[in-house]
């Protein structure tokens, strides 16, 4: 399986979990506060923990997965199928929901393709409702008797293997995989596809999980950025302090990837720093009650259980310090100043971006169904909403949308809504959709009748200025 396919798979897993992170955090906070060992033990409120974990969270994941395949109808049938896998197992069925949600949606989509042309006029609603209901019933039964027990067996094997690593104190070795994988944007596949399901199961047994701290720890990235802030040269030194603040407090890890690509040997510092953070958490018996998203120190502290703050803070600080010390050696020995812009483009190429330095005017001519941005303005098509979209709809696109809003305000452009979104959540309300180059095709497939603009870097102020100027001129 090549990198492109792995990234696509990781993106798919992420898009099932990311829209529901708020629900995970709500469950984690309820767990931290109200279980018998929590901050404020409460027998009544503790009753929320089990139903949310067992039913709410898996069904939300299943619905999101089904909705991506076949809209609301797919989400409903996928959720029905997930109900079977939930009842058919004795552990939280996050993995099962990730399977049954998209599968149920795919099957109802294929069934509709077969029967829809044959439905008599006037019977559409009746047949559509009953076809979804009957298929959902069958799939729920199959899930209960077959898929549920099978997924539970697989989960038990995986959990047993992971527990063995914990018992042998070998868990820090996962940093050898995790830290390099993050640079290639595989963090979502690892975090949401592997760590989160295992972590949630651990929380039900121990009230916390170390797996929520591994990929999300901002310490290693902070260490690298601090090394550049002190010992870097030229543009890398000038930009590193601001990047460190965004990374550590905002939780946007992607911002430090270009600094690694300027000097790839820094991967060693990240791995050792990550290992030290995991080892610290193990020694101090730490863990979190839910996945912190985004991976900032603020989010980590928010889901830290009672008595766990020393472990959480200690793991972040130690990993940051060790990474900083090692990274400082590599950064100081590097004689070249390093081309940050070139590294940014290389980082984008790891996300399957075409890093050709096309002129902004050529980017603005990106077309959607043969209607360019300029043609839309000449024909007086009103621009009411601009959406800046990326994979998860959180980190990089959020920064881009914020910059675009500020520039629009400075230019006195009002009555235009500017938001960020995941590509999977794009809807018909958008007039202009801005994406990174490699994702523009995906966005066009989702919303083919919109104006699509491609950008190299979501922080490209010149690009946004030219877009806004053209809108302002044609008002």
């Amino acid at each position: 399986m090549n990198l492109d396919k792995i990234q696509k798979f990781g993106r798919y897993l992420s898009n099932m979990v990311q829209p529901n992170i708020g629900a995970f955090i709500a469950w984690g906070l309820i767990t931290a506060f109200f279980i018998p060992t929590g901050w404020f033990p409460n027998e009544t409120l503790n009753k929320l923990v089990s139903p949310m974990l067992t039913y709410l969270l898996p069904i939300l994941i299943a619905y999101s997965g089904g909705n991506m395949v076949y809209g609301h109808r797919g989400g409903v049938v996928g959720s029905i199928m997930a109900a079977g896998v939930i009842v058919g197992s004795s552990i939280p069925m996050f993995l099962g929901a990730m399977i049954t949600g998209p599968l149920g949606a795919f099957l109802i989509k294929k069934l509709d393709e077969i029967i829809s042309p044959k439905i008599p006029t006037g019977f559409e609603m009746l047949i559509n409702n009953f076809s979804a209901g009957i298929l959902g019933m069958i799939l729920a039964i199959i899930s209960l008797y077959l898929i549920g027990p099978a997924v539970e067996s697989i989960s038990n094997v995986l959990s047993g293997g992971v527990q063995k690593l914990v018992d042998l104190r070998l868990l820090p070795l996962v940093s050898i995989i995790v830290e390099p994988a993050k640079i290639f944007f595989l963090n979502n596949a690892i975090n949401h596809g592997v760590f989160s399901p295992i972590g949630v199961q651990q929380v039900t047994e121990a009230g916390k999980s170390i797996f929520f701290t591994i990929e999300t720890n901002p310490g290693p990235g902070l260490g690298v950025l601090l090394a550049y802030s002190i010992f870097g040269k030229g543009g890398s030194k000038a930009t590193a302090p601001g990047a460190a603040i965004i990374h550590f407090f905002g939780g946007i890890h992607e911002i430090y990837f270009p600094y690694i690509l300027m000097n790839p040997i820094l991967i060693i510092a990240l791995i050792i720093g990550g290992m030290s953070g995991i080892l610290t958490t193990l020694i101090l018996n730490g863990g979190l009650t839910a996945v912190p998203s985004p991976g900032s120190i603020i989010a980590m502290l928010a889901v830290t259980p009672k008595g766990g703050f020393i472990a959480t803070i200690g793991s972040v600080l130690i990993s940051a310090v060790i990474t900083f010390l090692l990274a400082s050696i590599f950064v100081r020995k590097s004689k070249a100043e390093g081309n940050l812009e070139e590294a940014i483009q290389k980082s984008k190429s790891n996300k399957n971006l075409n890093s050709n330095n096309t002129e902004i005017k050529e980017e603005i001519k990106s077309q959607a169904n043969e209607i360019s941005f300029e043609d839309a303005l000449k024909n007086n098509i009103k621009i009411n909403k601009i959406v800046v979209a990326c994979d998860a709809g959180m980190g990089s696109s959020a920064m881009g949308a914020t910059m675009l809003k500020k520039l629009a305000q400075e230019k006195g452009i009002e009555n235009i809504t500017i938001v960020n979104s995941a590509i999977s959540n794009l809807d018909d309300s958008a007039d202009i959709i801005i994406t990174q180059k490699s994702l523009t095709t995906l966005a066009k497939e989702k919303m083919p009748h919109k104006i699509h603009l491609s950008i190299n870097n979501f922080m490209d102020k010149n690009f946004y200025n030219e877009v806004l100027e053209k809108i302002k001129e044609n008002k």
Side-chain angles (χ1 to χ4, degrees):
M1 183 179 290
N2 60 33
L3 182 60
D4 178 56
K5 291 181 179 179
I6 295 173
Q7 287 177 330
K8 186 175 181 180
F9 178 68
R11 184 183 301 134
Y12 200 87
L13 292 178
S14 173
N15 287 339
M16 279 192 275
V17 178
Q18 287 281 10
N20 304 303
I21 286 294
F24 276 85
I25 291 176
W27 172 78
L29 292 174
I30 290 171
T31 302
F33 286 148
F34 305 124
I35 63 174
T37 57
W39 288 94
F40 310 104
N42 186 296
E43 185 177 351
T44 300
L45 296 178
N46 183 45
K47 294 178 181 178
L48 290 169
V49 174
S50 181
M52 290 179 70
L53 174 67
T54 304
Y55 302 106
L56 175 64
L57 297 179
I59 288 177
L60 283 174
I61 290 174
Y63 179 84
S64 297
N67 186 59
M68 286 192 294
V69 173
Y70 194 44
H72 179 76
R73 185 169 170 83
V76 170
V77 175
S79 299
I80 297 171
M81 190 176 184
V85 84
I86 291 168
V87 175
S89 62
S90 59
I91 62 174
M93 267 293 107
F94 294 94
L95 180 58
M98 289 179 178
I99 296 171
T100 54
L103 178 58
F106 173 79
L107 292 174
I108 187 62
K109 180 180 181 180
K110 292 302 177 183
L111 180 62
D112 284 351
E113 290 175 358
I114 295 171
I115 66 174
S116 291
K118 303 175 183 178
I119 298 176
T121 302
F123 288 84
E124 291 86 357
M125 182 178 292
L126 177 67
I127 293 177
N128 285 337
N129 285 339
F130 270 87
S131 63
I134 293 170
L135 179 63
M137 176 191 71
I138 295 171
L139 294 178
I141 293 171
I142 292 173
S143 294
L144 191 152
Y145 285 108
L146 297 177
I147 300 178
V151 173
E152 182 173 359
S153 298
I154 294 171
S155 297
N156 288 337
V157 171
L158 293 174
S159 298
V162 170
Q163 188 59 49
K164 193 68 175 178
L165 288 176
V166 175
D167 294 339
L168 295 174
R169 290 292 193 266
L170 295 177
L171 190 61
L173 294 179
V174 301
S175 291
I176 297 174
I177 298 173
V178 172
E179 297 303 333
K182 289 175 71 173
I183 307 303
F184 290 97
F185 293 89
L186 300 176
N187 45 322
N188 286 329
I190 293 172
N191 196 30
H192 298 308
V194 180
F195 291 157
S196 291
I198 296 175
V200 169
Q201 187 172 342
Q202 277 197 340
V203 171
T204 64
E205 299 166 356
K208 60 186 176 183
S209 174
I210 190 174
F211 289 95
F212 293 139
T213 71
I214 296 175
E215 186 275 333
T216 57
N217 184 357
L222 177 65
V224 168
L225 292 172
L226 290 178
Y228 270 106
S229 299
I230 298 174
F231 302 109
K233 304 176 183 70
S236 61
K237 181 173 184 176
T239 56
I245 293 172
I246 293 172
H247 165 70
F248 190 63
F249 295 104
I252 301 174
H253 292 207
E254 289 87 349
I255 201 166
Y256 76 80
F257 297 171
Y259 295 85
I260 304 300
L261 294 170
M262 281 193 294
N263 195 356
I265 197 172
L266 289 170
I267 290 279
I268 296 174
L270 285 176
I271 291 173
I272 296 176
M275 292 174 66
S276 67
I278 297 171
L279 183 61
T280 301
T281 305
L282 283 171
I283 293 173
L284 297 178
N285 192 30
L288 304 177
T289 61
V291 57
S293 183
S296 74
I297 186 63
I298 297 172
M300 291 189 73
L301 293 176
V303 291
T304 296
K306 183 179 180 181
F309 286 97
I310 292 177
T312 298
I313 296 172
S315 66
V316 173
L317 288 180
I318 288 176
S319 62
V321 169
I322 290 179
T323 305
F324 168 76
L325 293 175
L326 291 173
S328 297
I329 297 172
F330 298 135
V331 173
R332 291 175 69 180
K333 285 186 175 181
S334 177
K335 296 179 180 179
E337 177 181 320
N339 189 328
L340 183 59
E341 183 61 30
E342 181 181 330
I344 289 174
Q345 297 308 319
K346 189 175 180 181
S347 178
K348 300 304 180 186
S349 70
N350 284 343
K351 204 169 184 178
N352 294 329
L353 289 179
N354 180 353
S355 60
N356 294 332
N357 293 319
T358 313
E359 294 296 327
I360 293 174
K361 288 183 179 179
E362 293 177 352
E363 292 171 344
I364 291 179
K365 290 180 181 177
S366 173
Q367 296 181 351
N369 280 15
E370 305 303 325
I371 301 176
S372 70
F373 182 36
E374 286 86 349
D375 289 341
L377 294 176
K378 288 177 183 178
N379 288 293
N380 297 318
I381 295 177
K382 190 173 182 182
I383 307 298
N384 295 312
K385 184 175 182 179
I386 301 176
V387 179
V388 184
C390 66
D391 277 346
M394 297 178 69
S396 52
S397 63
M399 291 193 297
T402 299
M403 175 176 285
L404 187 56
K405 285 178 188 176
K406 290 181 179 178
L407 293 173
Q409 290 173 355
E410 291 174 3
K411 295 179 182 298
I413 299 176
E414 300 176 353
N415 301 322
I416 292 182
T417 301
I418 299 172
V419 298
N420 61 291
S421 170
I423 290 177
S424 61
N425 294 332
L426 290 171
D427 57 40
D428 200 51
S429 64
D431 297 303
I432 296 177
I433 298 171
I434 300 175
T435 52
Q436 290 169 322
K437 284 184 176 178
S438 72
L439 299 178
T440 301
T441 300
L442 189 63
K444 286 182 178 181
E445 291 175 358
K446 178 75 175 178
M447 287 284 129
H449 302 286
K450 301 298 178 179
I451 301 168
H452 290 266
L453 304 181
S454 297
I455 190 171
N456 278 329
N457 179 4
F458 275 131
M459 302 306 288
D460 189 341
K461 188 175 181 179
N462 292 332
F463 177 91
Y464 296 133
N465 271 325
E466 186 157 343
V467 171
L468 292 172
E469 284 295 334
K470 287 184 177 290
I471 292 175
K472 189 173 182 179
E473 289 171 6
N474 284 272
K475 271 199 166 188

